[in-house]
Short mmCIF file of all heavy atoms in Angstrom, two decimals:
data_model
loop_
_atom_site.label_atom_id
_atom_site.label_comp_id
_atom_site.label_asym_id
_atom_site.label_seq_id
_atom_site.Cartn_x
_atom_site.Cartn_y
_atom_site.Cartn_z
N MET B 52 -16.66 11.43 -16.94
CA MET B 52 -17.14 10.08 -17.15
C MET B 52 -17.76 9.51 -15.90
O MET B 52 -18.81 8.87 -15.93
CB MET B 52 -15.97 9.14 -17.51
CG MET B 52 -15.27 9.44 -18.78
SD MET B 52 -16.37 9.16 -20.15
CE MET B 52 -16.81 10.81 -20.51
N ARG B 53 -17.08 9.75 -14.79
CA ARG B 53 -17.54 9.15 -13.54
C ARG B 53 -18.85 9.80 -13.09
O ARG B 53 -19.68 9.14 -12.47
CB ARG B 53 -16.45 9.27 -12.47
CG ARG B 53 -15.34 8.25 -12.70
CD ARG B 53 -14.03 8.66 -12.08
NE ARG B 53 -14.08 8.61 -10.63
CZ ARG B 53 -13.30 9.33 -9.84
NH1 ARG B 53 -12.43 10.17 -10.36
NH2 ARG B 53 -13.39 9.21 -8.56
N ILE B 54 -19.03 11.05 -13.44
CA ILE B 54 -20.31 11.70 -13.11
C ILE B 54 -21.43 11.08 -13.93
O ILE B 54 -22.48 10.72 -13.41
CB ILE B 54 -20.22 13.23 -13.35
CG1 ILE B 54 -19.37 13.86 -12.25
CG2 ILE B 54 -21.61 13.84 -13.39
CD1 ILE B 54 -19.09 15.34 -12.44
N VAL B 55 -21.17 10.90 -15.22
CA VAL B 55 -22.21 10.35 -16.08
C VAL B 55 -22.55 8.91 -15.68
O VAL B 55 -23.69 8.47 -15.77
CB VAL B 55 -21.78 10.41 -17.57
CG1 VAL B 55 -22.79 9.70 -18.44
CG2 VAL B 55 -21.63 11.86 -18.01
N ALA B 56 -21.52 8.18 -15.18
CA ALA B 56 -21.75 6.78 -14.82
C ALA B 56 -22.29 6.62 -13.41
O ALA B 56 -22.50 5.52 -12.94
CB ALA B 56 -20.45 6.00 -14.97
N GLY B 57 -22.48 7.74 -12.71
CA GLY B 57 -23.06 7.66 -11.37
C GLY B 57 -22.07 7.33 -10.27
O GLY B 57 -22.47 7.07 -9.14
N VAL B 58 -20.78 7.33 -10.59
CA VAL B 58 -19.78 7.02 -9.57
C VAL B 58 -19.66 8.18 -8.58
O VAL B 58 -19.54 7.98 -7.38
CB VAL B 58 -18.41 6.71 -10.21
CG1 VAL B 58 -17.39 6.35 -9.14
CG2 VAL B 58 -18.53 5.59 -11.22
N ILE B 59 -19.67 9.38 -9.11
CA ILE B 59 -19.63 10.56 -8.25
C ILE B 59 -20.75 11.50 -8.67
O ILE B 59 -21.24 11.43 -9.80
CB ILE B 59 -18.27 11.30 -8.33
CG1 ILE B 59 -17.89 11.56 -9.79
CG2 ILE B 59 -17.18 10.51 -7.63
CD1 ILE B 59 -16.59 12.32 -9.94
N THR B 60 -21.15 12.36 -7.76
CA THR B 60 -22.21 13.30 -8.11
C THR B 60 -21.61 14.68 -8.29
O THR B 60 -20.68 15.06 -7.58
CB THR B 60 -23.28 13.37 -6.99
OG1 THR B 60 -22.60 13.57 -5.75
CG2 THR B 60 -24.08 12.10 -6.93
N PRO B 61 -22.14 15.45 -9.26
CA PRO B 61 -21.59 16.79 -9.51
C PRO B 61 -22.00 17.76 -8.39
O PRO B 61 -23.00 17.55 -7.72
CB PRO B 61 -22.22 17.18 -10.84
CG PRO B 61 -23.48 16.36 -10.93
CD PRO B 61 -23.22 15.10 -10.18
N ASP B 62 -21.19 18.81 -8.21
CA ASP B 62 -21.54 19.85 -7.25
C ASP B 62 -22.65 20.74 -7.82
O ASP B 62 -23.52 21.21 -7.11
CB ASP B 62 -20.32 20.71 -6.91
CG ASP B 62 -19.22 19.90 -6.26
OD1 ASP B 62 -19.56 18.87 -5.64
OD2 ASP B 62 -18.05 20.29 -6.37
N GLU B 63 -22.53 20.99 -9.11
CA GLU B 63 -23.52 21.86 -9.75
C GLU B 63 -23.86 21.29 -11.12
O GLU B 63 -23.12 20.48 -11.67
CB GLU B 63 -22.95 23.27 -9.94
CG GLU B 63 -22.86 24.06 -8.65
CD GLU B 63 -21.92 25.24 -8.81
OE1 GLU B 63 -22.24 26.13 -9.61
OE2 GLU B 63 -20.88 25.25 -8.14
N GLY B 64 -24.95 21.75 -11.67
CA GLY B 64 -25.34 21.34 -13.01
C GLY B 64 -26.28 20.15 -12.98
O GLY B 64 -26.55 19.60 -11.91
N GLU B 65 -26.79 19.79 -14.17
CA GLU B 65 -27.73 18.67 -14.19
C GLU B 65 -27.47 17.75 -15.37
O GLU B 65 -26.78 18.09 -16.33
CB GLU B 65 -29.17 19.17 -14.18
CG GLU B 65 -29.50 20.08 -15.34
CD GLU B 65 -30.97 20.48 -15.34
OE1 GLU B 65 -31.72 19.95 -14.51
OE2 GLU B 65 -31.36 21.30 -16.17
N ILE B 66 -28.03 16.57 -15.24
CA ILE B 66 -27.88 15.56 -16.27
C ILE B 66 -29.26 15.13 -16.71
O ILE B 66 -30.13 14.87 -15.87
CB ILE B 66 -27.09 14.36 -15.73
CG1 ILE B 66 -25.65 14.80 -15.45
CG2 ILE B 66 -27.10 13.20 -16.72
CD1 ILE B 66 -24.86 13.79 -14.70
N LEU B 67 -29.49 15.11 -18.03
CA LEU B 67 -30.79 14.71 -18.55
C LEU B 67 -30.62 13.45 -19.36
O LEU B 67 -29.75 13.37 -20.24
CB LEU B 67 -31.38 15.81 -19.44
CG LEU B 67 -31.86 17.08 -18.74
CD1 LEU B 67 -30.73 18.03 -18.46
CD2 LEU B 67 -32.95 17.75 -19.56
N VAL B 68 -31.45 12.47 -19.07
CA VAL B 68 -31.50 11.27 -19.88
C VAL B 68 -32.88 11.23 -20.51
O VAL B 68 -33.88 11.39 -19.80
CB VAL B 68 -31.24 10.02 -19.03
CG1 VAL B 68 -31.40 8.76 -19.87
CG2 VAL B 68 -29.85 10.08 -18.41
N ASP B 69 -32.92 11.05 -21.81
CA ASP B 69 -34.19 11.10 -22.55
C ASP B 69 -34.94 12.39 -22.26
O ASP B 69 -36.17 12.41 -22.18
CB ASP B 69 -35.08 9.91 -22.18
CG ASP B 69 -34.46 8.61 -22.62
OD1 ASP B 69 -33.87 8.59 -23.71
OD2 ASP B 69 -34.56 7.63 -21.87
N GLY B 70 -34.22 13.44 -22.07
CA GLY B 70 -34.85 14.73 -21.86
C GLY B 70 -35.34 14.98 -20.45
O GLY B 70 -35.88 16.04 -20.17
N GLN B 71 -35.13 14.02 -19.58
CA GLN B 71 -35.60 14.21 -18.20
C GLN B 71 -34.42 14.29 -17.25
O GLN B 71 -33.49 13.49 -17.35
CB GLN B 71 -36.50 13.05 -17.79
CG GLN B 71 -37.80 13.05 -18.57
CD GLN B 71 -38.68 11.87 -18.22
OE1 GLN B 71 -38.32 11.04 -17.40
NE2 GLN B 71 -39.83 11.81 -18.86
N ALA B 72 -34.50 15.27 -16.34
CA ALA B 72 -33.42 15.42 -15.37
C ALA B 72 -33.38 14.19 -14.47
O ALA B 72 -34.40 13.72 -14.01
CB ALA B 72 -33.64 16.68 -14.53
#
Side-chain angles (χ1 to χ4, degrees):
Chain B
M52 296 294 102
R53 284 157 70 205
I54 287 174
V55 174
V58 181
I59 51 178
T60 50
D62 298 334
E63 287 162 64
E65 58 177 353
I66 293 170
L67 289 82
V68 176
D69 295 322
Q71 293 177 359

